[in-house]
Amino acid sequence: MTTDVRTRTKGRVDAYFGISEHGSTVKRELMAGTITFLAMSYVLAVNPRILGDGPAGDLHDKGMPIQAVFTATAVAAIFGTLVMGLWARYPVALAPGMGLNAFFAYTVVLHMGIPWQEALSGTFLSGVVFFVLAVTKVREKIIEAIPLQMKLAVGAGIGMFVAFLGLKSAGIVVSDPATLVHLGNFHHGTTLLAMFGLVVTVVFLVLGWHGAVLYGILATAVVGIACGLVKMPDSVAALPHGLDQTFGQAIVHLPHAFTGQMAIVVLTMLFVDFFDASGTLIGVAKQAGLLTESGRLDRAGQALAADSIGTAAGAIIGTSSTTAYVESTAGVSAGGRTGLTAVATAGWFLIAMFFFPLFAVFADVSAVTAPALIVVGVLMARSLGEIDWNRLEFAVPAFITVVMMPLTYSIANGIAMGLLFYPVVMVAKRRVREVHPIMWVLMAVFLSYFWFLAK
C-alpha cells in the first residue's frame, strides 16, 4: 500500500515538473537543488553584514537589525524560490541580490539618508512595477529599449562596486586624505585574515568546487577562531526570530515613498533587478537547454513575474530586492532541469534558518565575509569582456557607467551617468534613430536627478 502511494506521488511530481520529459530524475533534481544551495548560501552571511550595522558600524547606526535581516533573507529566499519552482517551474533559485543590497545600504540609506523602513517601501514599489512589466508585453519593449552594451556595463559596474566594498571591509583598501584611497596595513590581523580568505576562496573557485564562496567563508572563520580574531558561537542552532522588527515596515512607510528622491531609488532598483533577472534566467535556461529553437524562453512572463513577486514579498518580510541567482547554474551543471531543483534549494534554506548563531559569527567580522564580496564582484565583472571596446559610442558610456559606481560609491550614479552619455555619443555619431524614445525619457529623469536631488 505504502509503495503504491509513493509510486503515485512520484508519478504526479514527475508529471507536474516534467522531470522525465527533460531527461532527469527526482534524485538528480534533489541533488542539483542541494548544490545550488551550497553555491549561494553565502548570502545568509553576507546580506546581514551589508544591511545591518554590525560591530564596525558601517552604516553609522542606520542599518537594520542583523538577526531580523538573517531571518528575512532566508524567508525571502524560500518564498521566492518556491514561487519560481512551483509556478514558473524553472531550476532557478532566488535570494536578496548582491549589488542590490549594496545599493540599498550604501546609496539609499547611507548616502541619501533615507531610513531603511522607507527604503523597503521603495523596494516593494519596484517589485510591484516589475510585476506589471512582467505580465504585460511592455517587458519586451523595455528590454529592447536599453542597449545590450549598457546592460553589460551595469552588471560589470555593480561587480566593481561590490568588490570595492569587499576590499574596504577587509582593510585592504583604506581611506587617505591625500589620495582618497590607499593600500591597507597588512600588519593588522583582520586584514591578513581577509587576505587568507580571499586566497582560499579563489583557489576553491578555480578548482571548480560548488559552494566555493561558502567554503571560503567557513575556512576563514575557522582560522579566525584559531587566531582569536573571531569569537566562538555560543551555540550552533536556535529557533528563528526577529521578523517582528522588519515585517510589514514596507507597507507602513509606503506613504513616504512617493517623492522625487524615492522615484530615482525605485527606478534604479527596477532597472537593475529587471535586467539582472532577465539575463540570469536566459543564461541558466541556455545552459540547461531550456530555450526554444528561436532562442526564446518559454514561460518568460511567469519566470520574471516570480522574480518580481519575490522582490515585493521580500520587502514586506524585511530585506532588499530578491532576484534570480546566477549560482543556479551550479545546480544546472549537476543535472537540474526543472522546478523541483528550486524546491529542493528552498528546503535547504528552510533548514538553514535554524543556524543563525553560526551565520552570525560570519556576519560579525567583516574580514570573514569581505573575500566573498570580492569574489562575487569578480564573477559579476566578467561581462566587461563582452563590451565592444573598439566602438567609442559603446565604450565611452560603458566605461563611465563602470567607473562611476565605485568612485562615487553609488550604483545609481553610475547608471545615471552612463545613460546620460549614451544618447549624446549616438547623436555625435549621427545614429540618433537608433536611440529608443525610452532612453530620452531616462536621460531627462537622470538630468533632473543630478540637478535637483544628487548630494
Side-chain angles (χ1 to χ4, degrees):
M1 186 72 174
T2 305
T3 303
D4 291 340
V5 172
R6 288 178 179 174
T7 302
R8 286 198 299 270
T9 301
K10 187 175 181 180
R12 289 170 183 169
V13 170
D14 190 326
Y16 181 78
F17 289 106
I19 297 173
S20 298
E21 178 185 343
H22 288 93
S24 186
T25 64
V26 171
K27 182 178 180 181
R28 189 182 302 163
E29 295 290 310
L30 296 179
M31 180 58 68
T34 301
I35 291 173
T36 298
F37 171 76
L38 289 174
M40 62 182 289
S41 57
Y42 65 85
V43 69
L44 292 170
V46 177
N47 200 48
R49 173 71 201 179
I50 291 177
L51 299 185
D53 267 329
D58 293 335
L59 297 184
H60 307 292
D61 299 322
K62 295 180 180 179
M64 301 175 66
I66 284 184
Q67 182 157 3
V69 176
F70 171 82
T71 305
T73 300
V75 175
I78 293 167
F79 181 82
T81 303
L82 283 177
V83 173
M84 180 66 77
L86 294 174
W87 184 37
R89 287 175 285 178
Y90 275 107
V92 177
L94 280 67
M98 296 293 109
L100 285 162
N101 53 8
F103 171 73
F104 182 104
Y106 299 107
T107 299
V108 180
V109 175
L110 185 60
H111 180 67
M112 292 183 170
I114 296 174
W116 61 261
Q117 294 91 339
E118 294 178 23
L120 287 176
S121 298
T123 304
F124 172 76
L125 286 177
S126 73
V128 171
V129 176
F130 189 174
F131 179 80
V132 174
L133 296 178
V135 297
T136 63
K137 292 185 178 180
V138 177
R139 68 175 184 272
E140 279 87 4
K141 295 181 180 179
I142 297 293
I143 291 174
E144 292 171 1
I146 308 299
L148 174 61
Q149 302 294 315
M150 295 306 298
K151 298 173 192 173
L152 296 172
V154 168
I158 292 174
M160 298 289 283
F161 180 65
V162 169
F164 180 70
L165 291 178
L167 291 167
K168 176 178 174 290
S169 296
I172 298 173
V173 172
V174 296
S175 61
D176 186 284
T179 61
L180 294 182
V181 291
H182 194 270
L183 187 66
N185 188 344
F186 285 89
H187 291 285
H188 288 169
T190 53
T191 304
L192 288 174
L193 179 63
M195 281 298 298
F196 166 80
L198 180 58
V199 170
V200 296
T201 304
V202 168
V203 170
F204 293 157
L205 199 66
V206 171
L207 291 175
W209 290 13
H210 298 306
V213 177
L214 174 64
Y215 299 148
I217 289 175
L218 291 171
T220 307
V222 169
V223 172
I225 291 173
C227 295
L229 298 172
V230 178
K231 67 178 182 180
M232 283 284 290
D234 297 328
S235 59
V236 174
L239 290 174
H241 65 276
L243 279 185
D244 57 305
Q245 297 172 284
T246 61
F247 187 84
Q249 292 297 317
I251 303 301
V252 172
H253 291 82
L254 197 57
H256 301 288
F258 297 96
T259 65
Q261 191 179 40
M262 282 300 295
I264 296 296
V265 171
V266 172
L267 184 61
T268 303
M269 289 178 174
L270 174 63
F271 183 94
V272 175
D273 195 9
F274 187 85
F275 290 106
D276 184 46
S278 300
T280 298
L281 286 167
I282 292 173
V284 173
K286 183 178 181 180
Q287 182 172 336
L290 300 177
L291 295 179
T292 64
E293 293 182 1
S294 61
R296 296 181 65 84
L297 183 69
D298 281 335
R299 304 187 304 280
Q302 288 172 254
L304 289 172
D307 192 289
S308 64
I309 291 170
T311 291
I316 294 174
I317 294 165
T319 186
S320 54
S321 302
T322 301
T323 190
Y325 259 60
V326 73
E327 283 82 356
S328 300
T329 54
V332 167
S333 66
R337 293 293 182 272
T338 75
L340 185 58
T341 293
V343 173
T345 303
W348 281 110
F349 271 107
L350 178 62
I351 294 172
M353 281 181 61
F354 294 88
F355 292 91
F356 170 74
L358 192 60
F359 282 96
V361 170
F362 307 153
D364 275 347
V365 182
S366 59
V368 175
T369 54
L373 289 174
I374 299 170
V375 169
V376 169
V378 171
L379 297 177
M380 294 180 71
R382 287 183 295 185
S383 59
L384 281 171
E386 300 177 51
I387 296 173
D388 190 351
W389 295 104
N390 293 318
R391 300 174 66 177
L392 287 177
E393 64 267 32
F394 296 144
V396 170
F399 177 79
I400 289 173
T401 299
V402 171
V403 76
M404 287 294 286
M405 288 189 190
L407 292 186
T408 64
Y409 218 66
S410 169
I411 292 172
N413 288 345
I415 294 174
M417 194 67 77
L419 292 181
L420 282 178
F421 267 86
Y422 179 77
V424 172
V425 295
M426 291 300 282
V427 169
K429 197 70 176 177
R430 297 181 180 178
R431 296 171 59 183
V432 65
R433 292 183 180 179
E434 296 179 33
V435 180
H436 197 282
I438 290 177
M439 293 297 293
W440 294 111
V441 174
L442 290 176
M443 182 181 183
V445 169
F446 286 124
L447 273 174
S448 300
Y449 165 66
F450 283 125
W451 186 258
F452 296 108
L453 303 174
K455 295 180 181 180

